[in-house]
Amino acid sequence: MNFSEKLPAFANPQGAAGKLLIASMNIFHTPVSLWGISHLDLAGNEKILDIGCGGGINLSRFLKKVPRGHVTGIDLSPDCVNYSFMRNRDAIAEGRCSVYEGSAELLPFGANHFDVITAFETIYFWPNLPNTLKEIKRVLKPGGTFLIVNEADGYGFLDDLYPKIIKGMTLYKTEELSAILTKAGFTNIEIDTKLGCVTVSARRPVTAPVSYTHLRAHETSAHL
């Protein structure tokens, strides 16, 4: 067994080691999570989905920011779902919060459902990022915001090491994320970095983009 196999599964924490990891993530990810959330301009009535909700602490934070809205969490790990449920059980009982076990690549929600979708420290472990982004775009409302928050921007001196010791991890540089988001059909991509951390926000366009070639053909036919 190599060193990476001895580490708890960051993508799907389970068991005693997984529970310790979930609790530690709630604590140690707090600074970057609060910084990431500060990039959202919330009115208070949004429907928010947090993918990879972990121990549920960001669900609690969003519940305070959208008192007239609804907050949903989804995670691949049953232990994470249990943690999130217990932390937010009062809001769940009030009908203001929901927590699901499931994959980001196959979201159990209808189209055009959420105003905001967030992913804190989790896209590293999505096996097919382009397909997952298409699924996120499907459930995001036109004009809605998708926010990625990572503690590693791909340029740190240890960023080449992490994927070697953490099973299933892929680190993306900011320009890679921008290109993948653009290809998936997102617009208004904004990137902010701080001390090696990165936020990437993008919008689902309100209308489908019209290609320049199609536009020129339409203009030409109009003058005939």
Side-chain angles (χ1 to χ4, degrees):
M1 179 181 294
N2 61 36
F3 176 72
S4 65
E5 291 174 338
K6 295 180 181 179
L7 292 172
F10 283 78
N12 186 8
Q14 298 183 47
K19 290 178 181 178
L20 181 61
L21 177 62
I22 295 166
S24 66
M25 286 191 296
N26 273 351
I27 297 170
F28 295 115
H29 289 173
T30 288
V32 71
S33 294
L34 293 176
W35 175 65
I37 291 172
S38 72
H39 290 75
L40 294 172
D41 184 15
L42 300 172
N45 60 351
E46 288 86 355
K47 291 181 179 178
I48 298 177
L49 170 64
D50 184 30
I51 300 176
C53 59
I57 194 167
N58 284 331
L59 301 183
S60 302
R61 291 168 177 146
F62 283 131
L63 284 165
K64 293 178 182 179
K65 290 186 172 293
V66 291
R68 302 180 307 282
H70 189 277
V71 178
T72 302
I74 189 167
D75 203 288
L76 194 62
S77 164
D79 285 342
C80 285
V81 172
N82 289 337
Y83 262 78
S84 292
F85 183 91
M86 293 304 297
R87 172 175 284 276
N88 300 286
R89 57 186 177 275
D90 290 342
I92 290 171
E94 294 167 2
R96 298 183 53 232
C97 181
S98 304
V99 183
Y100 296 86
E101 180 183 339
S103 166
E105 203 168 350
L106 188 62
L107 297 170
F109 312 110
N112 310 324
H113 189 75
F114 296 100
D115 300 287
V116 176
I117 298 177
T118 59
F120 293 85
E121 286 289 286
T122 187
I123 69 163
Y124 316 123
F125 305 107
W126 294 350
N128 191 324
L129 181 57
N131 282 355
T132 303
L133 291 178
K134 290 178 183 178
E135 179 70 348
I136 288 170
K137 186 177 169 220
R138 179 186 68 83
V139 302
L140 188 62
K141 291 180 181 178
T145 298
F146 175 46
L147 177 71
I148 297 169
V149 182
N150 288 344
E151 283 187 332
D153 62 4
Y155 295 99
F157 70 97
L158 290 176
D159 287 358
D160 289 334
L161 177 63
Y162 291 139
K164 296 176 182 177
I165 64 173
I166 299 177
K167 187 177 181 181
M169 185 180 195
T170 301
L171 279 183
Y172 300 92
K173 290 182 169 61
T174 52
E175 64 267 21
E176 292 177 311
L177 287 176
S178 180
I180 295 170
L181 284 162
T182 299
K183 189 172 182 179
F186 288 89
T187 60
N188 298 86
I189 298 169
E190 297 182 1
I191 297 170
D192 190 16
T193 58
K194 183 178 181 180
L195 300 176
C197 301
V198 60
T199 66
V200 183
S201 65
R203 293 286 182 92
R204 178 184 171 183
V206 176
T207 57
V210 178
S211 71
Y212 179 76
T213 302
H214 175 77
L215 183 62
R216 291 294 298 168
H218 176 75
E219 290 176 346
T220 301
S221 64
H223 289 288
L224 294 177

